[in-house]
Structure formats: C-alpha cells, structure tokens
Short mmCIF file of all heavy atoms in Angstrom, two decimals:
data_model
loop_
_atom_site.label_atom_id
_atom_site.label_comp_id
_atom_site.label_asym_id
_atom_site.label_seq_id
_atom_site.Cartn_x
_atom_site.Cartn_y
_atom_site.Cartn_z
N MET A 1 0.82 -1.17 0.00
CA MET A 1 0.00 0.00 0.00
C MET A 1 0.87 1.23 0.00
O MET A 1 1.88 1.28 0.69
CB MET A 1 -0.87 -0.01 1.25
CG MET A 1 -1.58 1.28 1.43
SD MET A 1 -2.28 1.45 3.04
CE MET A 1 -3.21 2.88 2.71
N LYS A 2 0.48 2.20 -0.75
CA LYS A 2 1.20 3.47 -0.78
C LYS A 2 0.28 4.56 -0.26
O LYS A 2 -0.89 4.61 -0.60
CB LYS A 2 1.64 3.80 -2.20
CG LYS A 2 2.68 2.86 -2.73
CD LYS A 2 3.14 3.27 -4.09
CE LYS A 2 4.17 2.28 -4.60
NZ LYS A 2 4.66 2.63 -5.91
N ILE A 3 0.83 5.40 0.59
CA ILE A 3 0.10 6.54 1.11
C ILE A 3 0.68 7.79 0.47
O ILE A 3 1.86 8.07 0.62
CB ILE A 3 0.21 6.62 2.65
CG1 ILE A 3 -0.41 5.38 3.30
CG2 ILE A 3 -0.45 7.89 3.17
CD1 ILE A 3 -0.24 5.32 4.79
N GLU A 4 -0.15 8.51 -0.23
CA GLU A 4 0.27 9.78 -0.81
C GLU A 4 0.30 10.81 0.31
O GLU A 4 -0.70 11.02 0.99
CB GLU A 4 -0.70 10.22 -1.91
CG GLU A 4 -0.78 9.27 -3.08
CD GLU A 4 0.48 9.29 -3.92
OE1 GLU A 4 1.18 10.34 -3.96
OE2 GLU A 4 0.80 8.26 -4.53
N THR A 5 1.45 11.43 0.51
CA THR A 5 1.57 12.38 1.62
C THR A 5 0.61 13.55 1.48
O THR A 5 0.19 14.13 2.47
CB THR A 5 3.01 12.89 1.75
OG1 THR A 5 3.41 13.48 0.51
CG2 THR A 5 3.96 11.77 2.12
N GLY A 6 0.21 13.88 0.27
CA GLY A 6 -0.75 14.95 0.06
C GLY A 6 -2.14 14.61 0.57
O GLY A 6 -2.97 15.49 0.79
N GLN A 7 -2.42 13.33 0.78
CA GLN A 7 -3.72 12.89 1.30
C GLN A 7 -3.82 13.02 2.81
O GLN A 7 -4.89 12.90 3.37
CB GLN A 7 -3.97 11.41 0.96
CG GLN A 7 -4.06 11.08 -0.48
CD GLN A 7 -4.25 9.58 -0.68
OE1 GLN A 7 -3.72 8.77 0.07
NE2 GLN A 7 -4.98 9.22 -1.71
N VAL A 8 -2.69 13.26 3.47
CA VAL A 8 -2.65 13.25 4.92
C VAL A 8 -2.32 14.65 5.42
O VAL A 8 -1.37 15.27 4.97
CB VAL A 8 -1.58 12.25 5.44
CG1 VAL A 8 -1.55 12.22 6.95
CG2 VAL A 8 -1.83 10.87 4.86
N CYS A 9 -3.12 15.13 6.37
CA CYS A 9 -2.84 16.43 6.96
C CYS A 9 -2.58 16.25 8.45
O CYS A 9 -2.31 15.14 8.90
CB CYS A 9 -3.98 17.40 6.69
SG CYS A 9 -5.58 16.79 7.17
N GLN A 10 -2.66 17.32 9.22
CA GLN A 10 -2.35 17.22 10.65
C GLN A 10 -3.36 16.38 11.41
O GLN A 10 -3.03 15.80 12.43
CB GLN A 10 -2.23 18.60 11.26
CG GLN A 10 -0.99 19.32 10.78
CD GLN A 10 -0.85 20.69 11.40
OE1 GLN A 10 -1.81 21.27 11.87
NE2 GLN A 10 0.35 21.22 11.39
N ARG A 11 -4.57 16.30 10.92
CA ARG A 11 -5.57 15.44 11.56
C ARG A 11 -5.30 14.00 11.11
O ARG A 11 -5.10 13.74 9.93
CB ARG A 11 -6.96 15.86 11.13
CG ARG A 11 -8.03 15.05 11.85
CD ARG A 11 -9.43 15.44 11.45
NE ARG A 11 -9.64 16.87 11.60
CZ ARG A 11 -10.58 17.55 10.98
NH1 ARG A 11 -11.38 16.94 10.13
NH2 ARG A 11 -10.73 18.83 11.18
N PRO A 12 -5.30 13.04 12.04
CA PRO A 12 -5.03 11.64 11.66
C PRO A 12 -6.03 11.13 10.62
O PRO A 12 -7.21 11.46 10.66
CB PRO A 12 -5.19 10.88 12.97
CG PRO A 12 -5.03 11.89 14.04
CD PRO A 12 -5.53 13.17 13.47
N ARG A 13 -5.53 10.32 9.69
CA ARG A 13 -6.38 9.70 8.68
C ARG A 13 -6.21 8.19 8.76
O ARG A 13 -5.10 7.69 8.87
CB ARG A 13 -5.98 10.19 7.29
CG ARG A 13 -6.84 9.57 6.23
CD ARG A 13 -6.89 10.38 4.99
NE ARG A 13 -7.73 9.67 4.03
CZ ARG A 13 -7.57 9.72 2.75
NH1 ARG A 13 -6.64 10.49 2.24
NH2 ARG A 13 -8.36 9.05 1.95
N ARG A 14 -7.32 7.47 8.70
CA ARG A 14 -7.32 6.01 8.87
C ARG A 14 -7.34 5.34 7.50
O ARG A 14 -8.07 5.76 6.60
CB ARG A 14 -8.53 5.60 9.68
CG ARG A 14 -8.53 4.17 10.09
CD ARG A 14 -9.27 4.04 11.41
NE ARG A 14 -9.47 2.66 11.77
CZ ARG A 14 -8.58 1.94 12.41
NH1 ARG A 14 -7.44 2.46 12.75
NH2 ARG A 14 -8.83 0.68 12.72
N PHE A 15 -6.54 4.28 7.37
CA PHE A 15 -6.49 3.46 6.16
C PHE A 15 -6.69 2.01 6.57
O PHE A 15 -6.02 1.52 7.47
CB PHE A 15 -5.12 3.59 5.47
CG PHE A 15 -4.82 4.97 4.97
CD1 PHE A 15 -4.20 5.91 5.79
CD2 PHE A 15 -5.15 5.33 3.68
CE1 PHE A 15 -3.91 7.17 5.33
CE2 PHE A 15 -4.86 6.60 3.20
CZ PHE A 15 -4.25 7.53 4.03
N THR A 16 -7.61 1.32 5.93
CA THR A 16 -7.82 -0.10 6.19
C THR A 16 -7.98 -0.82 4.86
O THR A 16 -8.40 -0.23 3.86
CB THR A 16 -9.08 -0.36 7.04
OG1 THR A 16 -10.22 0.15 6.36
CG2 THR A 16 -8.97 0.28 8.40
N GLY A 17 -7.63 -2.09 4.86
CA GLY A 17 -7.81 -2.87 3.64
C GLY A 17 -6.96 -4.13 3.65
O GLY A 17 -6.43 -4.53 4.68
N ASP A 18 -6.85 -4.71 2.48
CA ASP A 18 -6.08 -5.94 2.29
C ASP A 18 -5.15 -5.77 1.09
O ASP A 18 -5.49 -5.09 0.12
CB ASP A 18 -7.02 -7.12 2.02
CG ASP A 18 -7.90 -7.42 3.21
OD1 ASP A 18 -7.34 -7.78 4.26
OD2 ASP A 18 -9.13 -7.28 3.10
N GLU A 19 -4.00 -6.39 1.19
CA GLU A 19 -3.02 -6.43 0.11
C GLU A 19 -2.62 -7.88 -0.11
O GLU A 19 -2.65 -8.68 0.82
CB GLU A 19 -1.77 -5.61 0.47
CG GLU A 19 -2.00 -4.12 0.58
CD GLU A 19 -2.20 -3.45 -0.76
OE1 GLU A 19 -1.70 -3.97 -1.77
OE2 GLU A 19 -2.85 -2.39 -0.79
N PRO A 20 -2.23 -8.23 -1.33
CA PRO A 20 -1.79 -9.61 -1.57
C PRO A 20 -0.53 -9.93 -0.77
O PRO A 20 0.29 -9.06 -0.50
CB PRO A 20 -1.52 -9.65 -3.07
CG PRO A 20 -1.53 -8.26 -3.55
CD PRO A 20 -2.18 -7.41 -2.52
N ALA A 21 -0.39 -11.19 -0.39
CA ALA A 21 0.76 -11.63 0.41
C ALA A 21 2.09 -11.37 -0.29
O ALA A 21 3.12 -11.24 0.35
CB ALA A 21 0.62 -13.10 0.75
N ALA A 22 2.07 -11.24 -1.61
CA ALA A 22 3.30 -11.03 -2.37
C ALA A 22 4.02 -9.74 -1.98
O ALA A 22 5.23 -9.62 -2.16
CB ALA A 22 2.99 -11.02 -3.86
N ILE A 23 3.30 -8.78 -1.39
CA ILE A 23 3.97 -7.53 -1.00
C ILE A 23 5.01 -7.75 0.09
O ILE A 23 5.89 -6.93 0.28
CB ILE A 23 2.97 -6.44 -0.56
CG1 ILE A 23 2.28 -6.82 0.74
CG2 ILE A 23 1.99 -6.10 -1.64
CD1 ILE A 23 1.54 -5.68 1.40
N LEU A 24 4.92 -8.86 0.80
CA LEU A 24 5.89 -9.17 1.86
C LEU A 24 7.23 -9.61 1.28
O LEU A 24 8.24 -9.59 1.98
CB LEU A 24 5.35 -10.24 2.79
CG LEU A 24 4.08 -9.87 3.55
CD1 LEU A 24 3.58 -11.07 4.35
CD2 LEU A 24 4.32 -8.68 4.46
N GLU A 25 7.23 -10.04 0.03
CA GLU A 25 8.45 -10.49 -0.66
C GLU A 25 9.24 -11.51 0.15
O GLU A 25 10.46 -11.42 0.29
CB GLU A 25 9.32 -9.29 -1.03
CG GLU A 25 8.64 -8.33 -1.98
CD GLU A 25 9.50 -7.14 -2.35
OE1 GLU A 25 10.66 -7.05 -1.89
OE2 GLU A 25 9.00 -6.29 -3.09
N LEU A 26 8.54 -12.50 0.71
CA LEU A 26 9.20 -13.55 1.48
C LEU A 26 9.70 -14.65 0.56
O LEU A 26 9.04 -15.03 -0.39
CB LEU A 26 8.23 -14.15 2.50
CG LEU A 26 7.76 -13.22 3.61
CD1 LEU A 26 6.74 -13.94 4.48
CD2 LEU A 26 8.93 -12.75 4.45
N ASP A 27 10.86 -15.18 0.89
CA ASP A 27 11.43 -16.29 0.16
C ASP A 27 10.59 -17.54 0.42
O ASP A 27 10.21 -17.81 1.56
CB ASP A 27 12.87 -16.52 0.63
CG ASP A 27 13.60 -17.58 -0.15
OD1 ASP A 27 13.03 -18.13 -1.11
OD2 ASP A 27 14.76 -17.87 0.21
N GLN A 28 10.27 -18.30 -0.59
CA GLN A 28 9.45 -19.50 -0.43
C GLN A 28 10.16 -20.60 0.36
O GLN A 28 9.55 -21.56 0.77
CB GLN A 28 9.04 -20.04 -1.80
CG GLN A 28 8.12 -19.11 -2.55
CD GLN A 28 6.80 -18.90 -1.82
OE1 GLN A 28 6.28 -19.82 -1.21
NE2 GLN A 28 6.26 -17.70 -1.87
N GLU A 29 11.46 -20.47 0.56
CA GLU A 29 12.23 -21.49 1.28
C GLU A 29 12.27 -21.27 2.78
O GLU A 29 12.98 -21.94 3.49
CB GLU A 29 13.67 -21.51 0.73
CG GLU A 29 13.77 -21.84 -0.75
CD GLU A 29 13.20 -23.21 -1.09
OE1 GLU A 29 13.44 -24.16 -0.33
OE2 GLU A 29 12.50 -23.32 -2.11
N THR A 30 11.49 -20.32 3.30
CA THR A 30 11.51 -20.06 4.74
C THR A 30 10.66 -21.09 5.48
O THR A 30 9.93 -21.87 4.87
CB THR A 30 10.96 -18.65 5.05
OG1 THR A 30 9.58 -18.60 4.66
CG2 THR A 30 11.75 -17.58 4.34
N LYS A 31 10.71 -21.07 6.79
CA LYS A 31 9.94 -21.99 7.63
C LYS A 31 8.47 -21.59 7.67
O LYS A 31 7.64 -22.36 8.09
CB LYS A 31 10.50 -22.01 9.04
CG LYS A 31 11.89 -22.59 9.13
CD LYS A 31 12.37 -22.58 10.55
CE LYS A 31 13.77 -23.14 10.64
NZ LYS A 31 14.27 -23.19 12.01
N PHE A 32 8.16 -20.37 7.24
CA PHE A 32 6.79 -19.88 7.29
C PHE A 32 6.23 -19.73 5.89
O PHE A 32 6.90 -19.24 5.00
CB PHE A 32 6.74 -18.52 7.99
CG PHE A 32 7.22 -18.57 9.40
CD1 PHE A 32 8.51 -18.18 9.72
CD2 PHE A 32 6.38 -19.01 10.41
CE1 PHE A 32 8.95 -18.22 11.03
CE2 PHE A 32 6.82 -19.06 11.72
CZ PHE A 32 8.10 -18.66 12.03
N GLN A 33 4.99 -20.16 5.72
CA GLN A 33 4.28 -20.05 4.46
C GLN A 33 3.09 -19.12 4.67
O GLN A 33 2.22 -19.39 5.49
CB GLN A 33 3.75 -21.43 4.07
CG GLN A 33 3.92 -21.80 2.66
CD GLN A 33 3.36 -23.20 2.45
OE1 GLN A 33 2.79 -23.85 3.32
NE2 GLN A 33 3.53 -23.67 1.25
N VAL A 34 3.07 -18.00 3.97
CA VAL A 34 1.96 -17.05 4.09
C VAL A 34 0.76 -17.64 3.35
O VAL A 34 0.87 -18.00 2.18
CB VAL A 34 2.34 -15.67 3.53
CG1 VAL A 34 1.16 -14.73 3.60
CG2 VAL A 34 3.53 -15.11 4.28
N ILE A 35 -0.38 -17.71 4.04
CA ILE A 35 -1.55 -18.36 3.43
C ILE A 35 -2.77 -17.44 3.36
O ILE A 35 -3.88 -17.91 3.11
CB ILE A 35 -1.91 -19.67 4.18
CG1 ILE A 35 -2.18 -19.41 5.65
CG2 ILE A 35 -0.82 -20.70 4.00
CD1 ILE A 35 -2.72 -20.62 6.39
N SER A 36 -2.57 -16.15 3.59
CA SER A 36 -3.69 -15.21 3.48
C SER A 36 -3.18 -13.87 2.98
O SER A 36 -1.97 -13.63 2.93
CB SER A 36 -4.38 -15.03 4.84
OG SER A 36 -3.57 -14.25 5.70
N ALA A 37 -4.11 -13.01 2.66
CA ALA A 37 -3.75 -11.64 2.31
C ALA A 37 -3.28 -10.91 3.56
O ALA A 37 -3.52 -11.36 4.69
CB ALA A 37 -4.95 -10.93 1.71
N VAL A 38 -2.60 -9.81 3.39
CA VAL A 38 -2.15 -8.98 4.50
C VAL A 38 -3.26 -7.96 4.78
O VAL A 38 -3.61 -7.16 3.91
CB VAL A 38 -0.84 -8.24 4.17
CG1 VAL A 38 -0.42 -7.34 5.32
CG2 VAL A 38 0.26 -9.24 3.83
N HIS A 39 -3.83 -8.02 5.97
CA HIS A 39 -4.86 -7.06 6.36
C HIS A 39 -4.19 -5.95 7.15
O HIS A 39 -3.36 -6.21 8.02
CB HIS A 39 -5.94 -7.73 7.21
CG HIS A 39 -6.97 -6.77 7.70
ND1 HIS A 39 -7.92 -6.23 6.87
CD2 HIS A 39 -7.17 -6.22 8.91
CE1 HIS A 39 -8.67 -5.39 7.56
NE2 HIS A 39 -8.24 -5.38 8.80
N TYR A 40 -4.54 -4.70 6.85
CA TYR A 40 -3.95 -3.58 7.57
C TYR A 40 -5.02 -2.63 8.10
O TYR A 40 -6.09 -2.48 7.51
CB TYR A 40 -2.94 -2.82 6.71
CG TYR A 40 -3.53 -2.23 5.44
CD1 TYR A 40 -4.10 -0.97 5.43
CD2 TYR A 40 -3.52 -2.95 4.26
CE1 TYR A 40 -4.65 -0.44 4.28
CE2 TYR A 40 -4.05 -2.43 3.10
CZ TYR A 40 -4.61 -1.17 3.11
OH TYR A 40 -5.15 -0.64 1.98
N ALA A 41 -4.73 -2.04 9.23
CA ALA A 41 -5.53 -0.98 9.84
C ALA A 41 -4.53 0.04 10.36
O ALA A 41 -3.86 -0.19 11.38
CB ALA A 41 -6.40 -1.52 10.96
N LEU A 42 -4.36 1.13 9.63
CA LEU A 42 -3.31 2.10 9.91
C LEU A 42 -3.90 3.49 10.14
O LEU A 42 -4.95 3.83 9.58
CB LEU A 42 -2.34 2.18 8.74
CG LEU A 42 -1.73 0.88 8.24
CD1 LEU A 42 -0.95 1.11 6.96
CD2 LEU A 42 -0.85 0.28 9.31
N THR A 43 -3.18 4.29 10.90
CA THR A 43 -3.51 5.69 11.08
C THR A 43 -2.27 6.49 10.66
O THR A 43 -1.17 6.21 11.14
CB THR A 43 -3.87 6.01 12.54
OG1 THR A 43 -4.98 5.21 12.91
CG2 THR A 43 -4.22 7.47 12.71
N ALA A 44 -2.46 7.44 9.77
CA ALA A 44 -1.36 8.28 9.30
C ALA A 44 -1.63 9.72 9.71
O ALA A 44 -2.76 10.20 9.64
CB ALA A 44 -1.21 8.17 7.79
N GLN A 45 -0.57 10.39 10.15
CA GLN A 45 -0.69 11.78 10.56
C GLN A 45 0.57 12.52 10.13
O GLN A 45 1.68 11.99 10.24
CB GLN A 45 -0.88 11.87 12.07
CG GLN A 45 -1.18 13.26 12.57
CD GLN A 45 -1.54 13.28 14.04
OE1 GLN A 45 -1.49 12.27 14.73
NE2 GLN A 45 -1.90 14.45 14.55
N ARG A 46 0.39 13.72 9.68
CA ARG A 46 1.51 14.51 9.17
C ARG A 46 1.93 15.54 10.22
O ARG A 46 1.09 16.19 10.83
CB ARG A 46 1.08 15.21 7.90
CG ARG A 46 2.17 15.70 7.07
CD ARG A 46 1.58 16.11 5.75
NE ARG A 46 2.60 16.69 4.94
CZ ARG A 46 2.39 17.12 3.72
NH1 ARG A 46 1.19 17.01 3.19
NH2 ARG A 46 3.34 17.65 3.03
N PHE A 47 3.24 15.66 10.41
CA PHE A 47 3.83 16.65 11.30
C PHE A 47 4.87 17.41 10.49
O PHE A 47 6.00 16.94 10.33
CB PHE A 47 4.49 16.00 12.52
CG PHE A 47 3.52 15.27 13.41
CD1 PHE A 47 3.31 13.92 13.26
CD2 PHE A 47 2.81 15.96 14.37
CE1 PHE A 47 2.41 13.24 14.08
CE2 PHE A 47 1.92 15.30 15.19
CZ PHE A 47 1.72 13.93 15.05
N ASN A 48 4.48 18.54 9.93
CA ASN A 48 5.35 19.33 9.05
C ASN A 48 5.85 18.44 7.91
O ASN A 48 5.06 17.97 7.11
CB ASN A 48 6.47 20.00 9.83
CG ASN A 48 5.94 20.97 10.86
OD1 ASN A 48 4.97 21.69 10.59
ND2 ASN A 48 6.53 20.99 12.03
N ALA A 49 7.14 18.14 7.86
CA ALA A 49 7.70 17.33 6.78
C ALA A 49 7.70 15.83 7.11
O ALA A 49 8.08 15.02 6.27
CB ALA A 49 9.13 17.77 6.47
N ASP A 50 7.30 15.47 8.31
CA ASP A 50 7.33 14.07 8.75
C ASP A 50 5.95 13.43 8.62
O ASP A 50 4.92 14.09 8.79
CB ASP A 50 7.79 13.96 10.20
CG ASP A 50 9.21 14.45 10.40
OD1 ASP A 50 10.03 14.26 9.48
OD2 ASP A 50 9.48 15.03 11.46
N LEU A 51 5.95 12.14 8.36
CA LEU A 51 4.71 11.36 8.28
C LEU A 51 4.82 10.23 9.30
O LEU A 51 5.74 9.42 9.23
CB LEU A 51 4.51 10.79 6.88
CG LEU A 51 3.24 9.98 6.65
CD1 LEU A 51 2.01 10.89 6.76
CD2 LEU A 51 3.28 9.31 5.30
N LEU A 52 3.89 10.19 10.24
CA LEU A 52 3.86 9.14 11.26
C LEU A 52 2.75 8.16 10.90
O LEU A 52 1.60 8.55 10.72
CB LEU A 52 3.59 9.74 12.64
CG LEU A 52 3.39 8.75 13.79
CD1 LEU A 52 4.67 7.96 14.04
CD2 LEU A 52 2.93 9.47 15.04
N VAL A 53 3.12 6.88 10.78
CA VAL A 53 2.15 5.83 10.46
C VAL A 53 2.21 4.79 11.57
O VAL A 53 3.27 4.26 11.87
CB VAL A 53 2.45 5.17 9.09
CG1 VAL A 53 1.44 4.07 8.80
CG2 VAL A 53 2.46 6.21 7.98
N ARG A 54 1.05 4.52 12.17
CA ARG A 54 0.95 3.51 13.23
C ARG A 54 -0.22 2.60 12.88
O ARG A 54 -1.16 3.01 12.21
CB ARG A 54 0.67 4.16 14.58
CG ARG A 54 1.80 4.98 15.09
CD ARG A 54 1.49 5.52 16.44
NE ARG A 54 0.58 6.67 16.28
CZ ARG A 54 0.28 7.50 17.24
NH1 ARG A 54 0.75 7.32 18.44
NH2 ARG A 54 -0.51 8.51 17.03
N GLY A 55 -0.14 1.35 13.36
CA GLY A 55 -1.26 0.47 13.11
C GLY A 55 -0.92 -0.99 13.29
O GLY A 55 0.07 -1.35 13.92
N ILE A 56 -1.78 -1.80 12.68
CA ILE A 56 -1.68 -3.25 12.83
C ILE A 56 -1.69 -3.90 11.44
O ILE A 56 -2.48 -3.54 10.58
CB ILE A 56 -2.86 -3.79 13.65
CG1 ILE A 56 -2.82 -3.22 15.07
CG2 ILE A 56 -2.88 -5.31 13.68
CD1 ILE A 56 -4.05 -3.54 15.89
N LEU A 57 -0.79 -4.86 11.27
CA LEU A 57 -0.78 -5.72 10.09
C LEU A 57 -1.07 -7.13 10.56
O LEU A 57 -0.50 -7.59 11.55
CB LEU A 57 0.58 -5.71 9.39
CG LEU A 57 1.08 -4.39 8.85
CD1 LEU A 57 2.50 -4.54 8.32
CD2 LEU A 57 0.16 -3.88 7.76
N GLU A 58 -1.97 -7.83 9.86
CA GLU A 58 -2.28 -9.22 10.22
C GLU A 58 -2.16 -10.09 8.98
O GLU A 58 -2.56 -9.70 7.89
CB GLU A 58 -3.71 -9.32 10.75
CG GLU A 58 -3.93 -8.62 12.06
CD GLU A 58 -5.36 -8.70 12.53
OE1 GLU A 58 -6.27 -8.90 11.68
OE2 GLU A 58 -5.59 -8.56 13.73
N VAL A 59 -1.61 -11.29 9.19
CA VAL A 59 -1.47 -12.25 8.11
C VAL A 59 -1.47 -13.65 8.72
O VAL A 59 -0.98 -13.84 9.83
CB VAL A 59 -0.19 -11.99 7.28
CG1 VAL A 59 1.05 -12.21 8.10
CG2 VAL A 59 -0.17 -12.81 6.03
N ASP A 60 -2.06 -14.61 8.04
CA ASP A 60 -2.03 -15.99 8.49
C ASP A 60 -0.84 -16.70 7.87
O ASP A 60 -0.57 -16.55 6.68
CB ASP A 60 -3.31 -16.73 8.08
CG ASP A 60 -4.55 -16.19 8.77
OD1 ASP A 60 -4.41 -15.63 9.87
OD2 ASP A 60 -5.65 -16.34 8.23
N VAL A 61 -0.12 -17.44 8.69
CA VAL A 61 1.03 -18.20 8.21
C VAL A 61 0.92 -19.65 8.64
O VAL A 61 0.33 -19.96 9.68
CB VAL A 61 2.38 -17.62 8.71
CG1 VAL A 61 2.62 -16.24 8.17
CG2 VAL A 61 2.45 -17.61 10.21
N ARG A 62 1.48 -20.52 7.84
CA ARG A 62 1.57 -21.94 8.17
C ARG A 62 3.03 -22.23 8.48
O ARG A 62 3.93 -21.78 7.77
CB ARG A 62 1.10 -22.79 7.00
CG ARG A 62 1.11 -24.29 7.31
CD ARG A 62 0.63 -25.13 6.15
NE ARG A 62 -0.76 -24.82 5.84
CZ ARG A 62 -1.22 -24.58 4.60
NH1 ARG A 62 -0.41 -24.60 3.58
NH2 ARG A 62 -2.49 -24.31 4.40
N SER A 63 3.23 -22.95 9.57
CA SER A 63 4.60 -23.30 9.95
C SER A 63 4.60 -24.69 10.56
O SER A 63 3.57 -25.35 10.64
CB SER A 63 5.15 -22.29 10.96
OG SER A 63 4.38 -22.30 12.14
N GLN A 64 5.77 -25.13 10.96
CA GLN A 64 5.91 -26.44 11.56
C GLN A 64 6.29 -26.26 13.02
O GLN A 64 7.19 -25.49 13.35
CB GLN A 64 6.98 -27.24 10.83
CG GLN A 64 7.06 -28.67 11.26
CD GLN A 64 8.00 -29.45 10.34
OE1 GLN A 64 8.66 -28.89 9.49
NE2 GLN A 64 8.04 -30.75 10.53
N CYS A 65 5.60 -26.97 13.91
CA CYS A 65 5.88 -26.90 15.34
C CYS A 65 7.28 -27.47 15.60
O CYS A 65 7.61 -28.55 15.16
CB CYS A 65 4.83 -27.69 16.12
SG CYS A 65 5.13 -27.73 17.89
N ALA A 66 8.10 -26.70 16.33
CA ALA A 66 9.45 -27.12 16.64
C ALA A 66 9.46 -28.29 17.63
O ALA A 66 10.43 -29.05 17.68
CB ALA A 66 10.25 -25.96 17.21
N ARG A 67 8.40 -28.45 18.39
CA ARG A 67 8.36 -29.50 19.40
C ARG A 67 7.85 -30.82 18.84
O ARG A 67 8.46 -31.87 19.02
CB ARG A 67 7.49 -29.06 20.57
CG ARG A 67 7.58 -29.99 21.76
CD ARG A 67 6.79 -29.48 22.91
NE ARG A 67 5.37 -29.49 22.51
CZ ARG A 67 4.39 -29.08 23.26
NH1 ARG A 67 4.62 -28.59 24.45
NH2 ARG A 67 3.15 -29.13 22.84
N CYS A 68 6.71 -30.78 18.12
CA CYS A 68 6.10 -32.05 17.69
C CYS A 68 6.22 -32.30 16.18
O CYS A 68 5.95 -33.40 15.72
CB CYS A 68 4.64 -32.11 18.11
SG CYS A 68 3.58 -30.95 17.21
N GLY A 69 6.59 -31.27 15.42
CA GLY A 69 6.74 -31.45 13.98
C GLY A 69 5.47 -31.31 13.17
O GLY A 69 5.49 -31.37 11.95
N GLU A 70 4.32 -31.11 13.83
CA GLU A 70 3.05 -30.96 13.13
C GLU A 70 2.97 -29.58 12.46
O GLU A 70 3.54 -28.62 12.96
CB GLU A 70 1.88 -31.10 14.12
CG GLU A 70 1.66 -32.49 14.62
CD GLU A 70 1.14 -33.42 13.55
OE1 GLU A 70 0.27 -33.03 12.75
OE2 GLU A 70 1.61 -34.58 13.50
N ARG A 71 2.25 -29.53 11.35
CA ARG A 71 2.02 -28.26 10.66
C ARG A 71 0.92 -27.53 11.42
O ARG A 71 -0.05 -28.13 11.87
CB ARG A 71 1.58 -28.48 9.22
CG ARG A 71 2.56 -29.31 8.39
CD ARG A 71 3.82 -28.61 8.03
NE ARG A 71 3.62 -27.68 6.92
CZ ARG A 71 4.51 -26.78 6.58
NH1 ARG A 71 5.64 -26.71 7.23
NH2 ARG A 71 4.31 -25.96 5.60
N CYS A 72 1.03 -26.22 11.57
CA CYS A 72 0.02 -25.43 12.27
C CYS A 72 -0.14 -24.08 11.58
O CYS A 72 0.72 -23.63 10.84
CB CYS A 72 0.36 -25.25 13.73
SG CYS A 72 1.93 -24.44 14.02
N VAL A 73 -1.31 -23.47 11.80
CA VAL A 73 -1.61 -22.16 11.24
C VAL A 73 -1.63 -21.15 12.38
O VAL A 73 -2.22 -21.42 13.42
CB VAL A 73 -2.97 -22.18 10.50
CG1 VAL A 73 -3.34 -20.78 10.04
CG2 VAL A 73 -2.92 -23.14 9.34
N GLN A 74 -1.00 -20.01 12.15
CA GLN A 74 -0.95 -18.95 13.15
C GLN A 74 -1.39 -17.65 12.48
O GLN A 74 -1.11 -17.41 11.32
CB GLN A 74 0.45 -18.78 13.72
CG GLN A 74 0.97 -20.01 14.40
CD GLN A 74 2.42 -19.87 14.79
OE1 GLN A 74 3.16 -19.12 14.19
NE2 GLN A 74 2.83 -20.63 15.79
N THR A 75 -2.07 -16.82 13.27
CA THR A 75 -2.48 -15.50 12.78
C THR A 75 -1.63 -14.45 13.42
O THR A 75 -1.27 -14.51 14.55
CB THR A 75 -3.96 -15.24 13.12
OG1 THR A 75 -4.74 -16.24 12.48
CG2 THR A 75 -4.40 -13.88 12.64
#
C-alpha cells in the first residue's frame, strides 16, 4: 500500500484494507508459508515534513511446530 503524503494532513487519517501476500516479498524457502492476504488498519498523521504511520498488520502463516513437527496455522 502506498500513502500519498498529500492525502494526509495534521488530523489523523485512517487506512484499512487488504493487500496480496506477495507484498511481503518472502522467500518461499523459509519456515513460514503465508496463506492469506495482509490485512492492515493504519492511522497516518503529518507533522510538518514528517509522516507518522501507526497500526496493525495481520497475516495468516503456516509453519511447523518445533516441538512435535506438526504443521500449524498462526495468525
């Protein structure tokens, strides 16, 4: 997701939505497999020349339990 700085003023602005998992640019050879889109809920606020962005990113991943070896899904 791209935030145009001209869209944000001193009053906080909220952005929510989903992006494809490909934006994470994760190597397929990792221990984690992304199995959902990336959901975001962000607040952007401008302070003169600075842009402050805070929020939450959520994604479901599949991995292997280090203890028992079973595959599991985590959010």
Side-chain angles (χ1 to χ4, degrees):
M1 170 194 190
K2 293 184 181 180
I3 298 175
E4 298 290 332
T5 57
Q7 296 177 326
V8 181
C9 53
Q10 290 181 339
R11 184 180 307 159
R13 180 157 179 210
R14 189 150 172 85
F15 297 88
T16 60
D18 296 296
E19 293 287 334
I23 67 167
L24 298 175
E25 298 180 2
L26 294 177
D27 185 3
Q28 294 297 324
E29 300 299 319
T30 64
K31 294 180 181 182
F32 299 99
Q33 223 179 4
V34 177
I35 57 172
S36 73
V38 178
H39 177 73
Y40 60 88
L42 308 172
T43 301
Q45 187 173 4
R46 198 169 175 179
F47 296 95
N48 298 321
D50 297 325
L51 182 67
L52 174 65
V53 179
R54 293 183 282 191
I56 297 172
L57 298 174
E58 294 177 337
V59 65
D60 293 335
V61 296
R62 183 179 297 132
S63 62
Q64 188 171 7
C65 178
R67 190 176 64 181
C68 69
E70 289 291 319
R71 304 287 282 168
C72 59
V73 174
Q74 299 172 334
T75 299

